[in-house]
Amino acid sequence: MKSGDKMGIFRRLKRNVSSLIRRIFKKNSTRIGIYGPPNAGKTTLANRILMDWTEEEEGFGEVSHIPHETRRAMRRNGIVINANGGVVKLDIVDTPGLATKIDFHDFMKHGLKEEEAKKRAKEATEGVIEAIKWLDDLDGVLLVMDATEDPFTQVNVVVVGNMEARNLPLLIVANKIDLPSASPQRIATAFPQHPMVAISALEGHNMEELYEAIAERFG
Amino acid sequence: MKSVQLDLISYDMLSGMTPMEKIRMILDRVRDGAVVILERGLTPEEEAKLIEYTMTEIEEDFPGIEIESYPSEAKRSWIGRILGKGIVHQPRLTIIGPAEQLKTTSKDRDFISAVISMKDE
Ligand SMILES: Nc1nc2c(ncn2[C@@H]2O[C@H](COP(=O)(O)OP(=O)(O)OP(=O)(O)O)[C@@H](O)[C@H]2O)c(=O)[nH]1
Ligand SMILES: [Mg+2]
């Protein structure tokens, strides 16, 4: 065994023991990141969770059909979700959409002026970095995918792989099932090793099932 | 005739490198316009780092990368289970290229189809 591996084992043991202790004395809430590709509906979902479980007037942030609307991670603390007997207290982080490429020309196709488009692209690259950095500070992830799109993207594979490597719970959300071309089954087939809930964050379909899954998975 | 360079990196070459060396090597080649094929890919942590470094290099004439691989086989050993170690991934064949030139046309659990186009200058 290499000495590097040994170090890793001790660090992991320590982390496991501390997470066990935390579970027993449960004073901290569980920190959950909402991840996914741009435009999947992460902020729409985050705003709905806030609306359903808190008195807060202000949502997580703006929603837009133009990708990379969220360019800074936003955190809200102490959201208590109470579903079918299970209760969880969550700190939720809405993260910027992950991408491997960001072309300002795409924003111009959405009607932005060149200068605006370049600024948005620059901020979007910073947002992606921020989202990746947040992976180190989470207890679990809600991975949101647009069910009308192909789920086999490297961004999805990377998020799933990072959660598995860290041994952290992951719940896949197949969003936009109100659209006729949605196929949550395709997502379930792509990532069979993780639980999935199909919802419409926009219409509020199937939210009860999602909250039960959240309470079970992150409780 | 215009052409695209293909760099095929063996597992042996990659496994002798640190994560940072791998990422630097891949990004340098891709930025030079090459399409890189890794016999066995990167770990999920390395891929996250690769995306992070790609973001810092994006500019007007470099919009980023395209990267595709098969979902890896997740295996978990009994010792890993006891130690609470995460699932061990066996990275699989991975293709990485400039976003402008490499386009995935379809992707499945065990099949990837991609098109490489020439950069017209
Ligand atoms: N039909 C439908 N549209 C949705 C649903 N959820 C979100 N949308 C729409 O999808 C678009 C993107 O929603 P956002 O919530 O901004 O997506 P996001 O994942 O936060 O996107 P970024 O912040 O850019 O990464 C908006 O036009 C939403 O109205 C849904 O369940 N059904
Ligand atoms: Mg958003």
Side-chain angles (χ1 to χ4, degrees):
Chain A
M1 188 186 282
K2 285 183 294 185
S3 68
D5 288 350
K6 263 186 222 149
M7 282 295 296
I9 288 168
F10 286 126
R11 216 172 329 132
R12 267 181 227 114
L13 260 180
K14 210 173 121 196
R15 191 167 63 191
N16 275 1
V17 169
S18 70
S19 96
L20 186 68
I21 289 171
R22 215 172 33 219
R23 228 171 281 171
I24 294 166
F25 294 100
K26 201 123 187 139
K27 49 177 188 256
N28 294 347
S29 38
T30 310
R31 198 184 284 153
I32 299 301
I34 303 184
Y35 278 78
N39 231 21
K42 299 178 293 299
T43 306
T44 307
L45 172 62
N47 287 347
R48 181 168 288 280
I49 294 174
L50 264 193
M51 207 168 69
D52 286 350
W53 298 102
T54 71
E55 304 294 311
E56 285 185 52
E57 303 277 304
E58 210 181 325
F60 270 86
E62 295 294 318
V63 163
S64 165
H65 68 284
I66 307 176
H68 298 286
E69 180 63 19
T70 307
R71 299 186 290 285
R72 278 208 192 296
M74 290 291 288
R75 166 152 67 129
R76 288 294 162 81
N77 292 342
I79 301 165
V80 178
I81 294 180
N82 191 334
N84 206 15
V87 182
V88 274
K89 189 167 152 203
L90 304 180
D91 295 351
I92 294 181
V93 188
D94 178 30
T95 68
L98 290 177
T100 61
K101 54 177 178 243
I102 295 167
D103 190 341
F104 73 95
H105 295 101
D106 293 340
F107 300 135
M108 291 177 72
K109 285 177 201 145
H110 282 284
L112 268 67
K113 293 205 184 66
E114 184 169 336
E115 208 169 308
E116 267 179 294
K118 284 180 180 164
K119 179 160 173 275
R120 190 183 183 93
K122 176 84 187 122
E123 290 174 0
T125 62
E126 291 162 2
V128 171
I129 295 171
E130 209 175 304
I132 289 172
K133 296 279 190 209
W134 261 106
L135 284 171
D136 292 332
D137 295 297
L138 297 171
D139 303 311
V141 157
L142 277 175
L143 176 54
V144 183
M145 302 179 199
D146 181 336
T148 68
E149 304 255 331
D150 177 13
F152 276 109
T153 66
Q154 204 62 16
V155 159
N156 290 339
V157 170
V158 166
V159 175
V160 170
N162 271 277
M163 286 297 106
E164 287 174 349
R166 289 169 165 83
N167 207 15
L168 291 173
L170 173 80
L171 180 60
I172 296 175
V173 179
N175 191 31
K176 308 199 185 184
I177 54 161
D178 56 293
L179 299 175
S181 60
S183 171
Q185 191 47 48
R186 196 166 42 183
I187 297 176
T189 313
F191 302 100
Q193 70 276 40
H194 295 284
M196 182 203 83
V197 181
I199 65 159
S200 166
L202 186 69
E203 306 283 347
H205 294 161
N206 240 0
M207 294 304 291
E208 211 36 56
E209 195 188 316
L210 176 66
Y211 293 135
E212 277 170 32
I214 287 176
E216 192 189 326
R217 194 89 175 117
F218 304 123
Chain B
M1 204 199 280
K2 284 179 196 153
S3 59
V4 173
Q5 183 175 324
L6 279 182
D7 293 340
L8 290 90
I9 317 277
S10 72
Y11 175 65
D12 286 343
M13 177 172 166
L14 210 62
S15 60
M17 298 167 91
T18 67
M20 200 54 240
E21 285 171 329
K22 294 180 197 176
I23 287 159
R24 200 60 274 158
M25 183 268 295
I26 293 166
L27 268 181
D28 286 347
R29 285 169 195 269
V30 169
R31 291 220 56 176
D32 278 343
V35 170
V36 177
I37 295 172
L38 309 176
E39 182 183 18
R40 299 234 212 117
L42 302 169
T43 66
E45 290 98 332
E46 287 167 348
E47 274 192 29
K49 254 214 170 66
L50 174 64
I51 295 175
E52 193 181 322
Y53 277 87
T54 301
M55 289 299 123
T56 66
E57 303 208 355
I58 285 179
E59 53 192 18
E60 263 174 55
D61 55 1
F62 179 67
I65 61 171
E66 178 79 29
I67 171 167
E68 297 296 346
S69 67
Y70 312 111
S72 59
E73 312 269 273
K75 289 217 178 71
R76 206 167 182 193
S77 62
W78 63 270
I79 183 120
R81 220 172 287 223
I82 290 169
L83 294 168
K85 194 174 166 179
I87 290 165
V88 179
H89 280 267
Q90 291 295 336
R92 297 168 76 188
L93 185 86
T94 299
I95 179 165
I96 306 161
E100 287 173 304
Q101 280 156 273
L102 181 65
K103 293 269 183 306
T104 316
T105 48
S106 74
K107 186 177 177 184
D108 220 311
R109 277 199 83 79
D110 326 281
F111 180 77
I112 297 168
S113 186
V115 171
I116 304 170
S117 53
M118 310 282 163
K119 205 172 178 179
D120 32 33
E121 274 161 63

